[in-house]
Amino acid sequence: MRPAACSPAEMSRYRRGYWSVAFTFCVVIAFSTAPSPLYRTYGERDGLSPLAITLIYAVYAAGVITALYLVGHLSDMLGRRWFLLSSVLLAMLGCVVFMVFPQAPGLYCARVLSGLAVGLTAAAGTAYITELHAAHRPAHLRHRAQLLAATANVIGLGAGAFVAAVIATVMTSPLVAPYAVFLVLLSAAALLIAVAPETTRRSPFRLRDYRLRMLAAPRRGRRRFVGALVGVVLAFSSLGMFVGLSGTVLSQTLHRPSPLLAGFALLVVFGSGAIAMIATTTWSTRQTTFTGAALVPAGLIIVLVDVLAPQAGPVVFFVGAAVVGAGGCLLFRASFSAVLSVAEPDRLGETLAVFYLTGYAGLSVPVIGLGLALQHFTIVDTLLVFSVAIIVGLVATAGVIASPLVERTADAV
């Protein structure tokens, strides 16, 4: 049943807030991947080395992890709305820096701001969506909020790069126009969040009371929680490979240097993942986990075959990207559902901060490692070693992720 204390007008307000937060979550995440197809253009214009591009990505990862580690749990005390609005303002500032200071120092600064914005958004946005749904919809439908939060994250990761690539291709200012569009979208998101209802009771906060509590696991279901963290690391690592290597593989191995194709590759990865999550909403955690664990190696093998025999062309690469994307996002969804099943309501932001901190470390650290490896090894060797490591990790841990303890209580998102 719907919450009895909620009037029709209040329910309408919560419903609008629910979709507003989902839109904001998606736009902030999308902005974080917008520069990906443009790195080659930056490199050609300014003579940036692959190592410099890797470092630009590294400072973004540092921003995400720092925000999640230091303040990711504070939305439980400070309130979701204020917290999410702060993240949008940081992202807007990042847009401005990208536009007015497009040289290397500006890129570093803008990427740090983008990383901080994502770090603030990930846990608080997910908790906000969950609570807004609970405020106006029956409890037995909470899986819809979980699905929306997971899908907004995944769609944002894929759409940002593709939208930026399209805008950069058709506009005369390829390194300014994409950020101008995102600035407009973020401005709209800020207005929507400003009028969204708050879902937590803000408590007095003094700086001397600040504690780094967020690294603790929930008091119940710790084995389930650890399994979910393993799952999200493997999922985001497999997806992160395409964030780091798609442009390089397409330009150097398959001889397709188009930024549009690089953006399309990420759209394929995360778009197929979103479709897979929506199409399997009735699946159990066990089904979702083992299907994802089977699809990721299959997709990696397809990509390896294409890299070893590049005459097959980019179509095979995109097929492999779609398979990996579907498998990785199914693993992410299973892990996400398991975490929500053990999270304590008054520490939801804190628990999700741990989850996203682990996930974005999995998305970021391998990308940085791949960039550094390419300084010394070929693309084929780098991709082969990385793929073997992911496959071995999945074989070794899939049973833990989908253990019966997880299966009994985790909702299928």
Side-chain angles (χ1 to χ4, degrees), residues 85 88 143 179 273 323 350:
L85 185 59
V88 175
H143 64 279
Y179 305 116
V323 176
E350 177 179 334

Side-chain angles (χ1 to χ4, degrees), residues 127 154 182 251 266 292 341 388:
V154 168
F182 274 101
S251 62
L266 295 188
S341 74
V388 169

Side-chain angles (χ1 to χ4, degrees), residues 139-140 142-143 146 224 281 283-285 288 333-334 336-341 406-413:
H140 73 275
R142 68 180 181 271
H143 64 279
Q146 298 171 7
R224 186 180 310 130
T281 54
W283 287 19
S284 67
T285 303
T288 305
R333 197 197 77 190
F336 180 69
S337 180
V339 163
L340 289 179
S341 74
V406 175
E407 180 65 24
R408 281 199 296 270
T409 60
D411 296 317
V413 178

Side-chain angles (χ1 to χ4, degrees), residues 4-382:
C6 203
S7 69
E10 289 174 325
M11 290 178 61
S12 178
R13 186 166 178 246
Y14 282 117
R15 187 181 302 110
R16 289 194 302 270
Y18 175 70
W19 291 107
S20 296
V21 174
F23 170 76
T24 300
F25 196 163
C26 188
V27 171
V28 172
I29 299 298
F31 170 59
S32 73
T33 61
S36 296
L38 308 178
Y39 285 143
R40 180 178 176 84
T41 304
Y42 283 119
E44 291 175 347
R45 188 197 65 178
D46 298 332
L48 299 178
S49 67
L51 179 59
I53 299 298
T54 299
L55 292 176
I56 291 172
Y57 191 89
V59 297
Y60 159 76
V64 175
I65 293 171
T66 298
L68 282 167
Y69 180 76
L70 295 179
V71 297
H73 59 299
L74 292 184
S75 70
D76 289 335
M77 295 175 284
L78 299 178
R80 311 294 187 204
R81 181 173 59 183
W82 179 90
F83 210 76
L84 193 57
L85 185 59
S86 299
S87 74
V88 175
L89 295 177
L90 281 173
M92 292 172 64
L93 181 58
C95 279
V96 173
V97 174
F98 269 124
M99 290 189 291
V100 303
F101 194 12
Q103 289 72 37
L107 297 181
Y108 285 113
C109 179
R111 289 300 279 163
V112 169
L113 291 170
S114 177
L116 292 172
V118 169
L120 294 180
T121 299
T126 301
Y128 205 178
I129 289 172
T130 302
E131 291 164 351
L132 284 167
H133 185 274
H136 78 283
R137 298 294 291 167
H140 73 275
L141 296 178
R142 68 180 181 271
H143 64 279
R144 294 183 180 179
Q146 298 171 7
L147 177 61
L148 181 64
T151 305
N153 193 355
V154 168
I155 290 177
L157 288 169
F162 183 67
V163 169
V166 171
I167 295 171
T169 301
V170 301
M171 300 295 286
T172 57
S173 302
L175 299 182
V176 174
Y179 305 116
V181 171
F182 274 101
L183 184 59
V184 172
L185 292 173
L186 288 165
S187 299
L191 293 175
L192 291 172
I193 295 302
V195 298
E198 181 57 75
T199 56
T200 61
R201 180 177 297 176
R202 295 179 61 176
S203 57
F205 178 76
R206 295 171 296 182
L207 189 60
R208 66 172 179 266
D209 297 330
Y210 172 78
R211 296 289 186 275
L212 281 175
R213 293 169 31 198
M214 56 158 293
L215 292 183
R219 286 185 286 268
R220 64 186 182 94
R222 294 194 174 188
R223 182 167 179 261
R224 186 180 310 130
F225 183 72
V226 171
L229 296 186
V230 173
V232 75
V233 166
L234 292 172
F236 273 25
S237 293
S238 61
L239 299 172
M241 183 197 74
F242 288 91
V243 176
L245 280 186
S246 288
T248 302
V249 171
L250 286 167
S251 62
Q252 296 185 16
T253 304
L254 303 180
H255 309 295
R256 299 291 194 280
S258 168
L260 188 58
L261 279 181
F264 181 68
L266 295 188
L267 182 66
V268 168
V269 171
F270 294 106
S272 65
I275 292 171
M277 290 194 299
I278 294 170
T280 59
T281 54
T282 60
W283 287 19
S284 67
T285 303
R286 188 175 183 84
Q287 287 176 296
T288 305
T289 300
F290 283 116
T291 301
L295 288 176
V296 169
L300 290 174
I301 291 171
I302 293 172
V303 171
L304 282 170
V305 169
D306 193 38
V307 172
L308 291 171
Q311 62 271 19
V315 173
V316 176
F317 177 79
F318 289 132
V319 170
V323 176
V324 172
C329 288
L330 287 179
L331 284 173
F332 164 64
R333 197 197 77 190
S335 302
F336 180 69
S337 180
V339 163
L340 289 179
S341 74
V342 300
E344 301 157 22
D346 60 337
R347 300 178 70 180
L348 181 59
E350 177 179 334
T351 303
L352 288 171
V354 180
F355 176 73
Y356 279 112
L357 172 61
T358 307
Y360 274 94
L363 183 66
S364 303
V365 175
V367 173
I368 297 168
L370 289 170
L372 295 175
L374 289 176
Q375 306 300 307
H376 308 286
F377 305 101
T378 66
I379 296 175
V380 174
D381 292 340
T382 301

